[in-house]
Amino acid sequence: MSETSNAAGSGVTEYMQHHLTNFCVGECNPVTHQGAGFWALHVDTLFFSLLLAGVIALVSWRVRRTLNPDCPGTLQNLVESIVDFVLKQIRDTLPGLNPVIAPLALTILVWVWLMNFMDMIPVDLLPLLGHLIGIHYLKPVPTTDINTTFALSLTVFCLILYYNIKIKGPIGYLRQFLFHPFGKFLIPVNIVMSIIEELAKPLSLALRLFGNMFAGELVFMLIALIGGAATLGLGLLIWLPLQIVLDFGWLVFHLLVITLQAYIFMVLTIVYLAMAHTDQ
């Protein structure tokens, strides 16, 4: 009995590890297939991220090409509603006008949502298709790779630093570290607190998105494992309705999660950049 349990546990662990391993090339560990150096590239993350960016570019080009203000189509109405939604968030938060932030916020919202949406594809489908063409490890959800979320957050952080220095000036930005939040008598404490506050911005952006998407991926895998176990114990006729109910319930909930995470990433980006635009 214990040998059977150990074998089952080993199979579950292997299944989970397999689905959580990226397609790594370059400086990769030959045993774990994890990155072992700076030049380790997660090809699946890069491929799906660029593919979805291409989808955004293609849709944008098509909408621009068929733009009709008098008789807009369904796609144009959808795009216009998303653009209006993003512009409203910016107007409510950001003082003044900035030609960079609106396109940035729109790109973040749509791109992050599409990367998150890859989690809605059946968890075994794309890895199985990859296996058929010789790709033994495949993670199709870019935002379950912490490299993706940190790349996004560090890009936003660089813009935060740029606008802080541009709006406040180098001296004004330095004074913020020296005299905020406790005044001139606690300068060492102010420096430590200000550094923590600044570093918390990219960390919160990256880890929040990664953590939620990684957890969602784990739940989908657990549901798949429950279905497999139920098939062995209960039979196909009982397993199939159970699997449909579990998948559909989590699918609906996770659709809200992926939308909320894309929205939060966009809103925090706007808020952080708005804070950088204040001269205080």
Side-chain angles (χ1 to χ4, degrees), residues 1-274:
M1 183 68 178
S2 60
E3 292 181 1
T4 304
S5 300
N6 290 336
S10 176
V12 169
T13 302
E14 184 179 349
Y15 175 85
M16 301 284 280
Q17 289 177 344
H18 180 272
H19 280 67
L20 295 175
T21 302
N22 287 98
F23 176 25
C24 182
V25 300
E27 298 180 7
C28 309
N29 188 306
V31 177
T32 64
H33 304 281
Q34 302 292 335
F38 181 80
W39 292 110
L41 300 177
H42 290 173
V43 178
D44 44 8
T45 296
L46 294 171
F47 173 78
F48 287 109
S49 299
L50 294 175
L51 177 66
L52 296 172
V55 170
I56 296 173
L58 180 62
V59 171
S60 301
W61 172 80
R62 179 174 176 79
V63 171
R64 175 66 182 88
R65 188 166 176 262
T66 60
L67 193 65
N68 187 343
D70 298 323
C71 185
T74 303
L75 181 60
Q76 182 178 331
N77 283 326
L78 175 62
V79 172
E80 287 180 353
S81 64
I82 295 173
V83 171
D84 289 339
F85 174 75
V86 172
L87 290 176
K88 183 180 184 303
Q89 305 302 314
I90 295 173
R91 293 191 194 102
D92 293 342
T93 308
L94 185 69
L97 298 175
N98 187 307
V100 173
I101 293 180
L104 173 68
L106 178 63
T107 302
I108 285 175
L109 177 66
V110 178
W111 197 21
V112 171
W113 188 87
L114 286 175
M115 288 191 286
N116 292 348
F117 188 78
M118 294 296 293
D119 208 12
M120 309 300 283
I121 298 173
V123 68
D124 292 315
L125 178 59
L126 292 179
L128 177 60
L129 295 177
H131 186 76
L132 293 177
I133 60 174
I135 300 174
H136 300 296
Y137 294 94
L138 187 69
K139 267 179 69 177
V141 187
T143 44
T144 59
D145 185 349
I146 199 168
N147 297 287
T148 301
T149 60
F150 264 107
L152 292 169
S153 67
L154 290 175
T155 302
V156 172
F157 185 59
C158 289
L159 287 173
I160 292 171
L161 295 178
Y162 169 75
Y163 283 114
N164 265 309
I165 295 172
K166 180 180 179 182
I167 302 299
K168 300 178 178 70
I171 303 300
Y173 189 43
L174 179 61
R175 289 183 61 189
Q176 177 178 304
F177 281 82
L178 296 177
F179 306 122
H180 174 82
F182 299 120
K184 62 183 179 180
F185 297 108
L186 291 173
I187 287 179
V189 177
N190 292 336
I191 293 173
V192 173
M193 294 294 292
S194 296
I195 291 175
I196 293 174
E197 181 182 351
E198 291 299 299
L199 293 180
K201 294 173 182 176
L203 287 173
S204 64
L205 284 173
L207 295 179
R208 179 184 291 107
L209 178 59
F210 167 73
N212 281 277
M213 296 311 302
F214 188 81
E217 184 78 352
L218 287 177
V219 172
F220 274 121
M221 284 188 283
L222 290 173
I223 290 174
L225 288 169
I226 290 172
T231 302
L232 297 175
L234 303 176
L236 182 62
L237 292 178
I238 299 178
W239 161 75
L240 188 57
L242 173 65
Q243 187 74 10
I244 291 174
V245 170
L246 290 174
D247 282 337
F248 180 76
W250 180 248
L251 198 72
V252 172
F253 177 74
H254 200 56
L255 183 60
L256 297 175
V257 171
I258 67 173
T259 304
L260 182 61
Q261 290 306 311
Y263 172 74
I264 290 174
F265 201 104
M266 179 200 70
V267 168
L268 287 179
T269 297
I270 295 172
V271 169
Y272 291 153
L273 290 173

